[in-house]
Amino acid sequence: MTPGGWIVMSLSVGGATVLLAWCLFKVLSKPGSEQHLHGQVDIHTPDMDAP
Amino acid sequence: MQDFRPKDSWTSRIGVILAVTGSAVGLGNFLRFPGLAAKYGGGAFMVAYLCAFLLLGLPIAFAEWSMGRYGGRHGFNSSPGIYRLVWRNRVAPYFGILAMIVPVCIYMYYVYIEAWCLAYSARYLFGAMDFGPDPAGYERFFTHFVGIHAHGESLSTPGEGLLGSAVFFLILCFVLNFTLIYRGLSKGIEWFCRWAMPALVVCAVLVLIRVLTLGTPDPAKPDQNILNGLGYMWNPVKPGTTFWQELANAEMWMAAAGQIFFSLSVGFGIIITYASYVKKDDDIALSSLTACAGNEFCEVALGGLITVPAAFVFLGPQVVQNPPGTFGLGFMALPHVFSQMPLGNAVGFLFFFLLFLAAVTSSLSMLQPAVAFLEEGLGLNRKASVALLGFITALGSTGVVFFSKDLIALDTLDFWIGTFCLYALAAFQTVLFGWVLGAKTGMAELRRGAEIHIPELFRYVIQYVTPVYLFIVFGFWLRQNIFVGTADDQPNRLRQLVTDPVVAAVMIFVAAVAVLFGMFIAQAVRNWRRAEAAGEEVAI
């Protein structure tokens, strides 16, 4: 493994890992990432139809 | 017509991200990417790969997420409905035929490969994968297992029992996939992806630890050590060339673009469907980037450190220099590697189980667009839509299993549907987003609720650079594979359509599926028109 190989591997593997870690941090640090996106309001019932 | 059923939906944001990531992560991450990077020289290839990621993969992913959520907030979850919404033209929904047959027909052979992964992991679990030090033993098993020598060969399993039956594992995979699809988006796909994706990463990390601690397993061959294996993969310059010579290789740029394109699962019409279930003001920019990043992590950080270094250490550079194709590397060379590796049975089980998990999360995503369309466009309930889709895909998979000589049916579907039609569909969607919906409107949709800043530059990238990039790659592929041809051992694909009866039969079946979906779309359009005339907001 040449020094160039170490640099390419470190940049590639490190870059992919850091990008994913940053994205996951942003997603999980925002309150509500685990909360329900939809709820009972999405159930279409007859009373919701226009008269 | 009124719809009293609750709309299917994701239950959490992390769930949709894991589902999209699962859709993207597949066999190519662990088998195809490392082979390409090693072939073209890690450094130069990664430059081309990064460019393709930023200019091709990520913009198309953004476009699909945006169009999907745009369609979802107007009540559409299927590609035909969303195309019709974006492009107010009579022919628009009929482009949805491509968006239906691409995932459905890819599923027909992908589920068979999924079954191979499950079978291999089960055989490792029961200690039935040791065919000795001779690589021919692994080749003999695989070629008989999948029936490469004669049509229908894989239907017989002399002396092997169920563990040697590809059909048995195919049925298991079919049952698993359709059970999960029947359970719905949140209780099926999301539930499975929420545990399967972390489990996949854990399996890959365990395999990675084993590979990185191999040292020099054979003192008689001191050059075949793990550091040289990593060097073979990542050294920026191959012997006898310079970095700039490597970088000037047009074929490498096309290979990198193709890898990004297929790896991210963009252009399938899958992300459009998945994103349509996201709420109208929820972020999609960060979710899209996270899903892409998850795929890249699995591909570069996990796949890039496992396959080629392990093969190099045990089999030497000649196997890596002349890789026996993706299937050959995965199902013949690697089992031979695992047989020589300490703890090889456990590592083999983990490796093929992670491939199986990756394949299931991908195959589930191939079924959902058609199920969404059948429910939305034709008003079918879940049971009927799953049963209809199950029948169509079972017919196709039966053909793939039976016409197994040289994997001709699988290869035909992979070439014409998994590559040609996929390029065509992605090209259509890119133009639809950049020029019909309009890059300005599209970017506004992408930025709605976005938790990251999308530079204005991306608007011009999506409108100009991405379509041109995609058309160049598509054109290069057409020239290489259809109009000019490559190596002598490659069949002439156009001539094959009329000279090979199996190829012709496969394509007639595909045409019949396309006509069927065309008729369904025509009926769906009539239903949507009727609903719109009646003033209903949400179509059937």
Side-chain angles (χ1 to χ4, degrees), chain B residues 18 24 80 123 148 211 231 233 348 354 378 381 402 408 483 524 529:
Chain B
L18 285 174
R123 291 183 69 92
I148 284 181
V211 170
M233 171 87 193
L354 84 85
L378 302 183
N381 61 26
F402 186 77
I408 184 75
F483 298 123
R529 279 196 192 133

Side-chain angles (χ1 to χ4, degrees), chain B residues 3-34:
Chain B
D3 185 3
F4 299 96
R5 285 172 287 120
K7 282 182 72 174
D8 218 346
S9 63
W10 305 108
T11 59
S12 70
R13 183 177 178 196
I14 200 73
V16 61
I17 291 172
L18 285 174
V20 176
T21 309
S23 157
V25 174
L27 272 66
N29 295 59
F30 295 92
L31 299 178
R32 191 166 180 268
F33 166 78

Side-chain angles (χ1 to χ4, degrees), chain B residues 116-128:
Chain B
W116 303 349
C117 298
L118 178 61
Y120 270 53
S121 62
R123 291 183 69 92
Y124 273 110
L125 193 64
F126 291 105

